[in-house]
Amino acid sequence: MARRKLVYEGKAKILYEGPEPGTLVQYFKDDATAFNAEKKDVIDGKGVLNNRLSEFFMTGLQRIGVPTHFIKRLNMREQLIRQVEIIPLEVIVRNFAAGTMAKRLGLEEGTPLPRPIVEFSYKDDSLGDPLVPEEYIIAFGWATQQDMDDIVALALRVNDFMAGVMHGVGIKLVDFKIEIGRIWDNDFMRLIVADEISPDSCRLWDIETDRKLDKDVFRRDLGDLADAYTEVARRLGVLPKNTTPGPKPTLIN
Ligand code: 5GP
């Protein structure tokens, strides 16, 4: 395989230079991490499943007019994406109390929220991705008020789409995280959904049993993570037929 230039390596993905300017190749690793990488493991097949699932959600969003970075899937583990300037925020949408919200407010996990709630964390592992109010985001210049209005509108459209798709296959969308990137067409800036959408970044519970089908299975030692992600892919009809593991990360120069 040809050597490719590494652009960025994160905990679960690697970005390589793409074939055209303004494109990148996004490689999905099998690595699972939690609690700011204090807990780590390699889950065979996770990268293959997340590549497929992210493709499924991003193409579905594009069909309803929500712009995303996704261009096409290249193979079992890689997809071609548009290069964006990532806004340093985790945009979290919650439909039911869980995780840090449940802890912070003393709510029982699974409590329905009066309406979807959008919140923001500042993306900085060394600080543990702290929750930040919009006031900080605008004051520190990470995004403008107009950007924030657009980001909230985008996040709620993603929520409507994802909650509907999941409901159709008997899964409750408890919450999820997305990242937003900027792209420029000449002087015109647009905000698009970037990074990935997969069970790594969502809480997905079976509607009947509340069985967890997301990364909490790994975070909380609830069983086999690959089984949970395979179940999500199976219900959505995106289970890869060929389960060979796909390419290894290429050498870096
Ligand atoms: P919480 O704030 O309750 O830990 O997370 C809320 C939602 O955002 C969950 O679906 C969780 O998976 C997702 N999330 C929050 N932080 C991260 C992160 O750093 N990485 C990923 N992949 N997902 C995150």
Side-chain angles (χ1 to χ4, degrees):
M1 184 177 294
R3 279 165 175 263
R4 287 180 300 183
K5 189 152 183 250
L6 179 116
V7 174
Y8 174 78
E9 176 155 10
K11 286 173 285 198
K13 297 186 294 291
I14 306 175
L15 296 175
Y16 298 101
E17 239 175 30
E20 310 282 344
T23 67
L24 295 172
V25 173
Q26 178 162 255
Y27 176 98
F28 287 78
K29 302 198 271 188
D30 279 343
D31 301 40
T33 62
F35 313 119
N36 214 352
E38 277 171 35
K39 183 176 163 97
K40 287 185 204 170
D41 205 349
V42 175
I43 312 288
D44 275 350
K46 180 172 89 81
V48 173
L49 288 161
N50 280 353
N51 187 24
R52 289 281 180 153
L53 285 164
S54 202
E55 171 191 17
F56 175 81
F57 295 128
M58 296 281 184
T59 52
L61 285 169
Q62 284 169 351
R63 267 200 299 278
I64 60 158
V66 176
T68 84
H69 73 166
F70 182 82
I71 301 174
K72 65 174 179 181
R73 186 168 57 80
L74 298 170
N75 56 49
M76 296 292 277
R77 283 184 184 274
E78 293 175 327
Q79 47 185 246
L80 187 66
I81 58 170
R82 292 190 69 166
Q83 185 163 27
V84 300
E85 182 188 302
I86 287 282
I87 296 181
L89 296 174
E90 297 192 332
V91 179
I92 294 169
V93 184
R94 300 181 188 269
N95 297 304
F96 297 85
T100 55
M101 174 191 246
K103 203 166 165 192
R104 191 177 308 116
L105 301 182
L107 294 170
E108 191 179 337
E109 288 209 309
T111 307
L113 299 174
R115 60 174 175 81
I117 294 178
V118 185
E119 66 181 43
F120 308 96
S121 296
Y122 178 52
K123 251 173 76 75
D124 186 326
D125 281 346
S126 67
L127 300 173
D129 300 336
L131 187 68
V132 284
E134 233 180 80
E135 183 82 2
Y136 286 19
I137 297 168
I138 292 160
F140 287 116
W142 302 324
T144 65
Q145 183 65 60
Q146 180 63 55
D147 293 337
M148 293 312 289
D149 294 346
D150 293 347
I151 290 170
V152 170
L154 266 180
L156 291 174
R157 289 182 73 196
V158 173
N159 186 48
D160 280 350
F161 169 78
M162 295 281 297
V165 168
M166 288 303 179
H167 190 263
V169 295
I171 293 175
K172 198 153 62 178
L173 178 66
V174 172
D175 57 31
F176 66 90
K177 181 266 297 183
I178 52 173
E179 295 185 21
I180 304 290
R182 296 179 195 280
I183 52 168
W184 275 270
D185 293 323
N186 298 316
D187 282 347
F188 185 66
M189 189 276 293
R190 287 199 305 144
L191 297 169
I192 69 175
V193 178
D195 190 51
E196 74 177 297
I197 303 180
S198 77
D200 268 8
S201 50
C202 302
R203 282 199 175 91
L204 306 170
W205 295 3
D206 179 83
I207 283 178
E208 300 290 330
T209 65
D210 278 350
R211 176 185 166 201
K212 292 177 176 47
L213 298 167
D214 55 64
K215 204 164 117 182
D216 276 349
V217 171
F218 172 72
R219 294 188 190 102
R220 303 179 186 188
D221 291 322
L222 299 176
D224 188 304
L225 191 72
D227 278 358
Y229 287 22
T230 301
E231 177 63 14
V232 175
R234 187 190 64 75
R235 290 195 197 186
L236 293 170
V238 295
L239 203 56
K241 287 187 181 58
N242 172 2
T243 52
T244 54
K248 294 251 178 286
T250 45
L251 291 171
I252 297 146
N253 53 20

